[in-house]
Amino acid sequence: MQVPVLSIIIPCYNEEEAIENTLKTLLDYLKELTDRNIVSEKSFLYLVDDGSSDKTYSILEKWHNENPDKIKVLKFSKNFGNQKAILAGLLEVRKYNPDCCVTIDADLQQDERTIEKFLEEFKKGNQIVCGIRNDRKTDSFSKKFTALAFYKFINLLGVDMEPNHSDFRLVSKEVLEVLSRYREVNLFLRGVFQEFGFKKQYVYFDVRPRLQGESKFNFFSLMTLALQGITSFSIVPLRFVSVTGFIMFFTSLLLAIHAVYEKVANQNTVSGWATIVMALAIIGGLQILCIGIIGEYLGQLFQEVKARPRYIVEKELE
Ligand code: UDP
Ligand code: MG
């Protein structure tokens, strides 16, 4: 096999403090990989500016003007979120025809030297190489706990997803073609690559603490991501609603027969008040819960049916 052309895709949102260091580190690393004949000299960085409101874009523009072959930039018209930025990078990079690409965060929390290991696996014929975090030492307790709960829950629902997955991964150009055929709006990348089949490999890497700037994710954006992951990959919660509804229906039927019997046979209608109140409360609660779950899916459907563009590109520096 010839040395592959590698594209490193980097989503950036308000990363003015971190980005120059990242660009420098990755350019040096690309040069080293080229010198060692691991990747082709046509390899490049592909940056997606996710509607930053700080100086990120002007920094990217400056670096692009100095080195247009190595640094390409895509600018969103506003902030669309990290998943859309990664997706746009993966889809739009196809026009440069790289043999494979790696997605990595702009804060370089993922050890970029793992890319060599990704490439080794790629050369062995793996089309998808996923980075798995060695541990979660750099995460706060609540983030660690919710992430773990998320992976346990989604596995329980029958979705095949390795815990401590990340969006740090290598995919081949064939995988990019398949990805372009997935037209859903809320594409949960970690799940969708699992579905493709293809030869796949996992590589473990260390996570570093964020050196510059701060995390762009808060509790709510992480929860949204988790909910999207669940509702776009599993209909088990919906089935849970139907099964529970079915059981509740039969139970209430039995209760009703019992009530009628009490009234007709024993003329005993005053007692049993507690049972009725409890049953009402439980059923009422369950109904709300079930409607909530249905609502989640309806919300997803609503967005899918509208089929709005997933992102809007304002400019591109080729
Ligand atoms: N990011 C993005 N759009 C957003 C939020 C984040 O493109 O709306 C990028 C961000 O610039 C970084 C990556 O996604 O390159 C991961 O974000 P961050 O490091 O803040 O997340 P954390 O590591 O804390 O999970
Ligand atoms: Mg980070």
Side-chain angles (χ1 to χ4, degrees):
M1 188 181 180
Q2 274 185 326
V3 274
V5 177
L6 167 73
S7 163
I8 302 182
I9 297 172
I10 311 147
C12 317
Y13 178 55
N14 292 348
E15 296 284 4
E16 62 181 8
E17 290 160 76
I19 195 68
E20 298 212 62
N21 177 42
T22 301
L23 287 169
K24 187 175 177 318
T25 311
L26 289 179
L27 279 183
D28 288 348
Y29 186 51
L30 261 191
K31 176 151 192 326
E32 184 195 322
L33 289 177
T34 312
D35 292 345
R36 285 162 57 200
N37 211 24
I38 293 176
V39 301
S40 152
E41 59 181 6
K42 292 197 201 111
S43 302
F44 59 94
L45 307 183
Y46 195 53
L47 293 117
V48 183
D49 174 34
D50 185 10
S52 299
S53 53
D54 65 0
K55 290 202 225 72
T56 305
Y57 182 73
S58 51
I59 298 173
L60 294 179
E61 203 172 19
K62 188 186 100 204
W63 280 70
H64 164 79
N65 290 336
E66 282 163 14
N67 205 344
D69 289 339
K70 290 276 167 224
I71 296 180
K72 321 256 182 217
V73 182
L74 189 73
K75 181 182 191 301
F76 277 3
S77 62
K78 66 166 189 99
N79 179 242
F80 282 89
N82 144 291
Q83 291 285 295
K84 301 285 194 292
I86 298 176
L87 178 67
L90 291 168
L91 295 180
E92 305 293 333
V93 80
R94 291 180 300 153
K95 60 171 133 340
Y96 301 104
N97 203 19
D99 296 305
C100 58
C101 54
V102 170
T103 46
I104 191 168
D105 287 350
D107 53 8
L108 282 194
Q109 278 190 276
Q110 298 121 334
D111 181 5
E112 70 282 351
R113 302 219 145 242
T114 315
I115 295 177
E116 275 173 69
K117 296 190 202 151
F118 285 2
L119 286 160
E120 267 168 41
E121 296 300 335
F122 174 66
K123 288 177 183 170
K124 284 186 209 154
N126 290 294
Q127 307 258 33
I128 302 174
V129 187
C130 296
I132 304 286
R133 309 169 58 138
N134 272 330
D135 56 54
R136 290 190 164 264
K137 262 189 264 172
T138 58
D139 280 355
S140 65
F141 174 77
S142 62
K143 195 165 176 184
K144 218 181 299 189
F145 178 77
T146 42
L148 213 76
F150 168 72
Y151 286 110
K152 276 265 173 302
F153 186 59
I154 202 152
N155 287 343
L156 210 73
L157 293 180
V159 182
D160 163 32
M161 201 181 296
E162 192 79 6
N164 291 335
H165 218 101
S166 67
D167 279 317
F168 182 34
R169 71 172 83 71
L170 175 146
V171 295
S172 69
K173 64 171 182 227
E174 290 79 9
V175 169
L176 294 183
E177 281 314 312
V178 177
L179 183 69
S180 70
R181 284 162 36 205
Y182 276 68
R183 310 232 56 102
E184 62 202 71
V185 177
N186 283 319
L187 200 56
F188 186 66
L189 291 168
R190 279 167 230 193
V192 92
F193 286 116
Q194 296 299 100
E195 265 204 6
F196 285 9
F198 286 121
K199 216 170 150 211
K200 194 164 32 193
Q201 190 54 258
Y202 297 101
V203 167
Y204 291 82
F205 71 93
D206 285 322
V207 181
R208 297 187 277 232
R210 193 186 242 273
L211 295 177
Q212 298 99 353
E214 51 194 40
S215 174
K216 309 297 182 279
F217 279 92
N218 57 33
F219 180 73
F220 290 104
S221 47
L222 282 174
M223 278 300 141
T224 307
L225 188 63
L227 263 179
Q228 272 171 8
I230 292 165
T231 49
S232 58
F233 277 92
S234 165
I235 58 157
V236 173
L238 266 184
R239 192 147 307 145
F240 169 77
V241 174
S242 9
V243 172
T244 320
F246 202 68
I247 295 171
M248 291 311 289
F249 174 70
F250 271 97
T251 320
S252 45
L253 211 66
L254 287 178
L255 261 172
I257 295 171
H258 172 69
V260 172
Y261 176 78
E262 283 290 307
K263 179 151 179 96
V264 175
N266 298 342
Q267 310 267 303
N268 182 9
T269 48
V270 180
S271 69
W273 179 82
T275 330
I276 292 175
V277 171
M278 262 170 60
L280 269 179
I282 294 170
I283 294 174
L286 256 174
Q287 275 178 333
I288 296 172
L289 169 75
C290 295
I291 292 172
I293 299 178
I294 295 175
E296 282 303 324
Y297 282 90
L298 263 184
Q300 288 278 334
L301 266 181
F302 178 60
Q303 286 177 330
E304 298 304 336
V305 166
K306 280 188 296 187
R308 290 186 178 170
R310 293 175 288 190
Y311 53 84
I312 300 166
V313 174
E314 185 178 314
K315 264 199 245 186
E316 183 155 15
L317 308 174
E318 296 185 16

